[in-house]
Amino acid sequence: MKDKTAFLKAMNIALSAIDALRIMGFDVIGMKFGNYNPVITVEVPTDKGLLKSAPVVCVRNDLAKCFNHVQVARFKGCLVEWEAPEELVNQYNHLPDIGGFELAEAAGGE
C-alpha cells in the first residue's frame, strides 16, 4: 500500500472485522495487508456448512517453492482465510474431463 491514509483505513476495517470474528467464535491467528483487501487468517472453522461452501484455493509460496491450500470467504470488507481440511483438498485434486479430451499424461504418453 503506497498511501498512508489507505493503509490506516484498511487497518481500521481489519480491526473491526477481527472484533466481529472473535465475537462469532473464530480464533484469529494472523493478519496481512497488501494492495487490496486486508487478509485475516483464522483457525479452521468447525461449521461444516461454511467449510463446504467456501472455495479451496491453492496458494504458491515462492520463497519455499511449495503450495498451500486455503479456503477463503469475504467478511466486512476483508478476505478471511484458513487452512483447507485435507478431505476438501483431495476433492479438488483431480483433473476435470474437458470435452472428452485426455491430457497427454493421462493418455499414457511417453
Side-chain angles (χ1 to χ4, degrees):
M1 255 179 218
K2 298 175 182 166
D3 182 16
K4 184 165 84 170
T5 304
F7 176 76
L8 292 174
K9 182 179 176 185
M11 193 162 85
N12 286 332
I13 289 170
L15 291 174
S16 174
I18 287 171
D19 286 341
L21 286 166
R22 285 187 178 149
I23 289 169
M24 294 169 60
F26 288 90
D27 294 324
V28 177
I29 58 174
M31 175 178 65
K32 55 190 168 191
F33 297 99
N35 290 327
Y36 300 104
N37 298 332
V39 178
I40 300 167
T41 305
V42 298
E43 288 289 346
V44 178
T46 56
D47 181 350
K48 298 296 182 192
L50 180 59
L51 290 174
K52 287 181 181 179
S53 66
V56 175
V57 179
C58 184
V59 180
R60 181 176 178 193
N61 180 343
D62 284 333
L63 297 175
K65 303 267 190 235
C66 64
F67 296 92
N68 186 25
H69 292 89
V70 297
Q71 286 186 276
V72 294
R74 292 189 186 280
F75 182 73
K76 295 191 176 279
C78 298
L79 192 64
V80 179
E81 68 177 12
W82 59 88
E83 186 177 331
E86 193 65 33
E87 62 270 11
L88 292 177
V89 171
N90 291 336
Q91 238 179 304
Y92 288 89
N93 258 353
H94 67 281
L95 296 173
D97 180 15
I98 303 174
F101 295 98
E102 292 184 25
L103 298 177
E105 301 155 5
E110 295 178 7

